[in-house]
Amino acid sequence: RHRWLGDHVAPWIALPIFLLLLPLLLLRGLIHIAVSVVLHILVWSRHRTWVVLVYSDSPKWKDHIESQIIPTLPAGSVVLNRSVSWSKNSLAGRVYRHFGGHHEFCPIGIVFYRWQWVQRFRFFRPFQDAKHGNLTPLNSVQAAFAAAVQNGR
């Protein structure tokens, strides 16, 4: 009897629940797209190319980022240190929270180009690899980030 309920009744219960949740999922996706468009417009109205670099005071990357990456950033770039107080409602804070994602979000470089997609450079895993002696991924992502920042892709 229990097997019959699980095989025949459960799909009929799950289907209406899924159909009720589907519009909410679609609405969430549309809101995500709208927020992306608004952030792009706010950034593009000020800059042709705009860079946001977010890092923290982790001993794994703090010295490297402050000595090797930050000095190469162009004027007008925004650097956020998550270990220090910063406004999450600022344009840079909103950009970071929106485009940083939910995994490997610090340290990250975000480059905006006018009328193009946002380019993200995630440094977390390359710094983990560098900690274990493999510098190739860190050098690669750092070179790609520098090229994107300096040359506009």
Side-chain angles (χ1 to χ4, degrees):
R1 179 169 170 101
H2 291 292
R3 183 172 165 88
W4 184 86
L5 283 175
D7 289 343
H8 298 292
V9 176
W12 292 108
I13 293 173
L15 183 63
I17 292 172
F18 173 75
L19 291 176
L20 287 172
L21 293 177
L22 186 62
L24 294 175
L25 293 173
L26 292 174
L27 181 63
R28 182 180 181 268
L30 290 174
I31 290 171
H32 184 78
I33 291 169
V35 168
S36 295
V37 169
V38 168
L39 288 173
H40 273 83
I41 289 170
L42 289 173
V43 168
W44 288 338
S45 67
R46 298 179 185 180
H47 309 279
R48 193 175 130 234
T49 301
W50 191 56
V51 179
V52 176
L53 177 69
V54 182
Y55 74 108
S56 66
D57 286 342
S58 170
K60 295 175 188 170
W61 51 69
K62 181 182 188 302
D63 292 336
H64 182 85
I65 288 177
E66 290 179 346
S67 65
Q68 301 292 319
I69 298 176
I70 292 175
T72 65
L73 295 178
S77 298
V78 177
V79 177
L80 297 175
N81 184 337
R82 292 192 66 219
S83 300
V84 182
S85 178
W86 53 279
S87 173
K88 294 179 181 173
N89 291 323
S90 67
L91 179 59
R94 289 179 187 270
V95 163
Y96 163 64
R97 286 190 353 236
H98 184 76
F99 291 104
H102 300 290
H103 70 284
E104 298 179 12
F105 54 83
C106 185
I108 187 169
I110 304 170
V111 182
F112 280 83
Y113 304 98
R114 188 174 288 180
W115 308 120
Q116 296 179 20
W117 293 105
V118 172
Q119 201 169 9
R120 296 176 206 125
F121 298 88
R122 298 185 188 277
F123 289 92
F124 180 82
R125 193 162 311 264
F127 272 110
Q128 296 289 6
D129 291 341
K131 178 183 171 187
H132 298 291
N134 184 5
L135 294 174
T136 305
L138 179 59
N139 292 336
S140 176
V141 74
Q142 188 172 339
F145 180 61
V149 166
Q150 300 303 326
N151 303 326
R153 250 194 226 219

